[in-house]
Amino acid sequence: EDAEWDILASIDPTCLRRFRQIVVEFHWFHLAADDERCQLMLRAMTALTTFHTVIHVHANNFAAWGVVGEIAAPTVLEVTFCRTEGKAFSPADHTFPTPLDRANWSEMPDYYLGRFRYSDSR
């Protein structure tokens, strides 16, 4: 419940290379507006994407929306990564949530992300 950022920012990416898939629930994206927090998040994402590619994303509708800069975004995202080695990837052409996704909180509608794109800025 928020420790994922510190743990992933400090892990050696070669350790993560052992895993074919990694699923992480990332908390409090809206805190990326803070420079120190943003750097922590970037280190975590860099560790994760050294040997893996994002293949799925789902917003947790139990958490509220937040604002980063002037952009509204879910504050909690569930992200699936797949080891890149030996695979070819292309941008998704479908919208999120997909028909396979379900709202975390069934009493509320799922959060619509549209054609969510993850971009590696390295």
Side-chain angles (χ1 to χ4, degrees), residues 8-9 15 21 28 46 61 107 120:
L8 292 168
C15 177
Q21 290 187 354
W28 320 138
T46 298
N61 73 330
E107 296 178 26
D120 187 348

Side-chain angles (χ1 to χ4, degrees), residues 1 9 21-22 30 33 46 59 67-68 82-83 86 90 92 99 106 108 111:
E1 298 300 313
Q21 290 187 354
I22 301 171
H30 64 292
T46 298
V67 176
V68 179
C82 181
R83 191 170 55 216
S90 59
S106 61
M108 296 292 290
Y111 290 153

Side-chain angles (χ1 to χ4, degrees), residues 42 45-46 48-50 52-54 117-122:
L42 286 172
M45 287 302 210
T46 298
L48 277 165
T49 58
T50 299
H52 293 78
T53 297
V54 174
R117 306 283 179 150
Y118 173 79
S119 175
D120 187 348
S121 61
R122 286 179 280 161

Side-chain angles (χ1 to χ4, degrees), residues 16-100:
L16 296 175
R17 189 178 192 180
R18 299 179 195 169
F19 299 93
R20 288 184 298 188
Q21 290 187 354
I22 301 171
V23 180
V24 183
E25 183 177 72
F26 291 105
H27 294 85
W28 320 138
F29 272 97
H30 64 292
L31 299 178
D34 173 73
D35 287 338
E36 189 174 321
R37 177 69 176 211
C38 185
Q39 291 305 311
L40 175 72
M41 294 169 133
L42 286 172
R43 286 193 311 275
M45 287 302 210
T46 298
L48 277 165
T49 58
T50 299
F51 297 106
H52 293 78
T53 297
V54 174
I55 60 168
H56 189 82
V57 63
H58 180 255
N60 185 326
N61 73 330
F62 201 77
W65 282 79
V67 176
V68 179
E70 295 181 14
I71 300 171
T75 58
V76 178
L77 286 175
E78 300 150 354
V79 183
T80 304
F81 300 83
C82 181
R83 191 170 55 216
T84 307
E85 186 176 0
K87 296 175 185 68
F89 296 91
S90 59
D93 61 355
H94 52 275
T95 58
F96 296 92
T98 71
L100 297 176

Side-chain angles (χ1 to χ4, degrees), residues 103-116:
N104 297 75
W105 186 12
S106 61
E107 296 178 26
M108 296 292 290
D110 215 350
Y111 290 153
Y112 177 78
L113 297 176
R115 293 187 174 191
F116 188 93

